C-alpha cells in the first residue's frame, strides 16, 4: 500500500512539473495613443499607430501623428528595411524605445513597424502668422502646422529670403520665435533647396514642428518638407489658365487647363450651358489638367465647365462653348 502511494505521488509530482515547464504565451504589446506614449517619457518601449507626415526629403527621420499628438522616428534605412520608403500619408504601427535628442522626443531605435494603409489625409493645426509663436510649444512637437497669411521669409539677420538654401534658417515675416529650417535633403524639382518663396501675395507655410535645444528647452523650429509647403492661394487649386480644346476631331476633343495648386480634374458638359448633364473625373492630383471627351456629335457646340478639387476646396470656372469638328473655340457674339 505504501509503495502505491509513493508511486501515485511521484506521478502527480511529475505532471505538475510538466505543466509548470510549459513555455509562456507571448504577450502582444498594447497599442497606445501617441499622447499616452509621450507621457511615458524617455527610456520607455512603446507601440503606437499613427500617420506618417514626411518622406525622404527629411533624410533618416519620419514624423508621425494621430489625432492628439506627434512623435519623431529615427532609423537608418539600410538597417530597417522599408523605413526609407515610408512617405506622407502612410498609416503605420510602430514599436521602439523613446529617447531625447537635444530636446526632441523620438523613437530610437525603432524595433519594428508595419504599414497599415496609405493616402491618409494629413490634418494640420492652422494658426494665423500673427499668433505663430503660440504654436511653437511642446504640445505641438512633431505635429503638422500650417501658418496662415505669411508675407515673406527673412534670414535671422533680417534680409529678405529670395532663394532658399539647405540647412539654413529663416523667420516667418521676420518675427523672432518663428524659426523655419530648410532640410538639406529636400532637393530636386519638388524640393525646398533653391526654391523661391512667393512674393506677389500672402501665402501659408506648412511644416512639422521639431525641436533642437541642447539645453532641453526651447529651440522649436518649423520644418517645411517640399516646395509645395509654401502654399499660395490658400491651398485652393486656383485656375491660372482658362480651359481650351486640343486634339479636336469630329466626335470629341481634349480639354486642358492649369491650376496654381494641385487638385483633381473635373469636367461637366452638355448642349445647354444651364444643363450640364455629363461628367468626367480624373482623381489624380495635378496642376496641368487634361481630360478627353469623346463620342460627341459632329459639328456641334458643347458647353464645358472645368473645376478642380483638393483638401482646401474646389475651384470652378464658368462654362464655355467648344465645337466639335473644326477645333475652333466659340466666343460670345461670334457666329457658328
Amino acid at each position: 500500500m505504501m509503495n502505491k502511494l509513493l508511486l501515485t505521488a511521484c506521478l502527480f509530482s511529475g505532471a505538475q512539473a510538466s505543466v509548470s515547464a510549459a513555455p509562456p504565451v507571448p504577450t502582444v504589446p498594447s497599442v497606445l495613443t501617441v499622447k499616452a506614449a509621450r507621457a511615458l517619457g524617455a527610456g520607455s518601449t512603446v507601440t503606437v499607430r499613427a500617420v506618417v507626415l514626411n518622406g525622404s526629403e527629411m533624410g533618416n527621420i519620419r514624423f508621425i501623428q494621430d489625432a492628439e499628438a506627434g512623435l519623431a522616428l529615427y532609423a537608418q534605412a539600410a538597417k530597417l528595411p522599408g523605413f526609407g520608403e515610408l512617405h506622407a500619408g502612410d498609416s503605420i504601427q510602430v514599436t521602439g524605445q523613446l529617447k531625447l535628442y537635444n530636446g526632441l522626443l523620438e523613437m530610437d531605435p525603432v524595433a519594428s513597424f508595419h504599414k497599415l494603409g496609405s493616402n491618409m489625409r494629413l490634418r494640420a493645426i492652422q494658426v494665423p502668422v500673427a499668433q505663430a509663436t503660440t504654436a511653437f510649444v511642446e504640445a505641438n512637437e512633431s505635429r503638422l502646422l500650417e501658418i496662415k497669411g505669411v508675407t515673406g521669409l527673412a534670414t535671422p539677420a533680417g534680409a529678405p529670403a529670395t532663394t532658399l538654401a539647405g540647412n539654413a534658417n529663416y523667420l516667418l515675416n521676420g518675427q523672432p520665435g518663428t524659426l523655419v529650417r530648410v532640410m538639406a535633403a529636400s532637393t530636386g524639382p519638388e524640393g525646398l533647396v533653391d526654391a523661391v518663396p512667393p512674393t506677389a501675395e500672402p501665402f501659408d507655410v506648412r511644416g512639422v514642428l521639431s525641436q533642437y535645444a541642447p539645453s532641453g528647452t526651447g529651440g522649436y523650429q518649423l520644418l517645411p518638407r517640399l516646395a509645395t509647403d509654401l502654399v499660395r492661394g490658400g491651398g485652393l487649386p486656383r485656375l491660372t489658365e482658362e480651359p481650351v480644346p486640343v486634339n479636336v476631331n469630329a466626335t470629341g476633343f481634349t480639354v486642358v487647363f492649369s491650376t496654381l495648386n494641385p487638385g483633381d480634374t473635373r469636367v461637366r458638359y452638355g448642349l445647354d450651358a444651364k444643363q450640364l448633364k455629363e461628367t468626367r473625373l480624373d482623381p489624380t492630383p495635378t496642376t496641368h489638367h487634361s481630360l478627353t471627351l469623346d463620342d460627341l456629335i459632329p459639328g456641334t457646340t458643347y458647353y464645358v465647365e472645368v473645376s478642380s478639387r483638393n483638401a482646401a476646396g474646389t475651384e470652378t470656372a464658368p462654362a464655355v462653348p467648344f465645337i466639335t469638328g473644326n477645333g475652333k473655340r466659340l466666343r460670345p457674339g461670334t457666329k457658328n
Side-chain angles (χ1 to χ4, degrees), residues 57-58 136 153-154 156 164-172 178-186 192-193 205-212 219-226 229-230:
E57 69 275 5
M58 289 189 176
F136 282 53
L153 300 177
L164 302 180
N167 287 339
N169 297 331
Y170 304 93
L171 299 174
L172 300 169
T178 62
L179 188 68
V180 175
R181 185 167 178 82
V182 174
M183 304 291 280
S186 183
L192 280 164
V193 176
V205 178
R206 291 194 192 115
V208 182
L209 186 69
S210 185
Q211 185 180 19
Y212 185 81
Y220 296 106
Q221 50 188 7
L222 190 67
L223 307 180
R225 301 155 298 177
L226 298 166
D229 278 335
L230 308 180

Side-chain angles (χ1 to χ4, degrees), residues 37-45 97-101 104-106:
R38 290 182 64 91
L40 295 177
S44 304
T45 297
Q97 188 175 49
L98 301 182
K99 66 179 283 188
L100 282 171
Y101 176 75
L104 178 67
L105 185 65
E106 62 183 20

Side-chain angles (χ1 to χ4, degrees), residues 58-92:
M58 289 189 176
N60 291 329
I61 195 166
R62 296 293 186 275
F63 290 94
I64 60 173
Q65 72 175 24
D66 59 12
E68 296 182 302
L71 183 67
L73 314 178
Y74 181 85
Q76 296 182 23
K79 297 182 178 179
L80 188 63
F83 187 82
E85 283 71 55
L86 290 176
H87 60 269
D90 287 342
S91 173
I92 64 171

